[in-house]
Amino acid sequence: MVDKNGNLIVISAPSGTGKTTIVKQLMLKNKNIRASVSYTTRNMRPNETNGLDYVFVTLQIFESMIIQNMFLEFANVFGHYYGTPTKETLEALNQGHTIILEIDWQGAEQIRMRRPESISIFLLPPSKEELKKRLTNRATDSSEQIELRFQEAIKDIEQYNNFDRVIVNHDIDTTCEEIMSFVNNSHTSEPAVNKKALAVIKSFI
């Protein structure tokens, strides 16, 4: 269990790695953990709920929020904006909750600059083959979009050395255990990237 000290945890991963599933499981196992609900300009998917998965807004509203400096971080991913609201996030941290930001590497970079005390974790798929399989099985994208996401995944993985810890997402329970172990012992002398993770990285880049 995480101490009530208002940790800010960034979890990034290539599309299809399973980070949303991991974040939901972390919240299920740790009552003090909350996920920040990002704002986005993309369309809502059939299995999503507005205000729970994302806050879906128009491009005009999002750009107005940027001008008003209402985001802790924001990025354009696959042609759509995503942003973490500053007010809600800081309020939850001040109440002692551990907050997870499920964001891409661009957003993670902004958080590192604005909140240097944050903990950043990068998740990897077990292999190229597994990532392709996961992207295809989601059945939410066309074959062209799947290929685009796969190529973007390679670019994402190139950013691995900017994170505090890199973890291979083989299965949900093991990955959650590794994340919590690192969060509770973030000053460990263990390397940020172990041999298993390095082998996966080398297979992509």
Side-chain angles (χ1 to χ4, degrees):
M1 185 73 183
V2 178
D3 293 331
K4 293 195 174 185
N5 57 0
N7 280 323
L8 184 63
I9 305 169
V10 171
I11 295 185
S12 297
S15 182
T17 301
K19 64 182 178 296
T20 301
T21 304
I22 293 298
V23 169
K24 284 179 179 175
Q25 186 69 4
L26 286 169
M27 288 193 293
L28 206 62
K29 290 186 170 186
N30 302 272
K31 299 304 177 189
N32 191 45
I33 289 181
R34 295 188 178 181
S36 170
V37 180
S38 296
Y39 281 66
T40 183
T41 59
R42 77 156 169 78
N43 292 329
M44 187 165 57
R45 292 171 182 160
N47 62 334
E48 291 177 327
T49 303
N50 190 24
L52 185 63
D53 297 289
Y54 290 96
V55 177
F56 296 91
V57 296
T58 63
L59 178 60
Q60 186 179 10
I61 289 172
F62 198 101
E63 288 178 337
S64 171
M65 291 176 74
I66 292 173
I67 292 166
Q68 294 175 70
N69 198 27
M70 293 173 72
F71 292 117
L72 203 56
E73 62 77 33
F74 68 91
N76 190 312
V77 184
F78 298 114
H80 301 291
Y81 277 116
Y82 295 82
T84 300
T86 302
K87 183 174 178 284
E88 294 93 318
T89 305
L90 296 186
E91 280 177 358
L93 284 171
N94 289 337
Q95 289 166 8
H97 294 290
T98 286
I99 303 299
I100 293 181
L101 305 185
E102 184 191 328
I103 56 179
D104 83 322
W105 66 267
Q106 300 171 73
E109 199 169 47
Q110 294 171 51
I111 294 295
R112 272 193 296 275
M113 287 190 289
R114 296 186 70 171
R115 307 285 297 194
E117 76 284 3
S118 63
I119 298 167
S120 62
I121 296 167
F122 192 83
L123 298 182
L124 290 168
S127 65
K128 278 185 175 182
E129 295 73 27
E130 183 61 28
L131 182 62
K132 271 268 175 91
K133 192 169 112 182
R134 289 178 185 179
L135 286 169
T136 305
N137 288 348
R138 290 200 312 186
T140 56
D141 301 310
S142 66
S143 55
E144 290 82 8
Q145 286 173 316
I146 289 169
E147 186 54 37
L148 174 64
R149 287 182 183 277
F150 185 75
Q151 293 305 320
E152 283 296 319
I154 296 171
K155 293 178 185 175
D156 291 347
I157 289 169
E158 289 174 351
Q159 304 294 324
Y160 77 93
N161 58 354
N162 293 318
F163 289 79
D164 298 321
R165 178 56 60 95
V166 179
I167 295 171
V168 181
N169 182 23
H170 280 290
D171 67 85
I172 297 168
D173 288 338
T174 305
T175 300
C176 286
E177 283 173 18
E178 284 190 50
I179 289 171
M180 293 314 303
S181 175
F182 180 64
V183 169
N184 290 322
N185 302 281
S186 57
H187 300 298
T188 177
S189 58
E190 289 179 26
V193 189
N194 62 25
K195 288 181 181 178
K196 184 170 66 174
L198 201 56
V200 173
I201 291 163
K202 285 182 175 177
S203 74
F204 274 93
I205 59 179

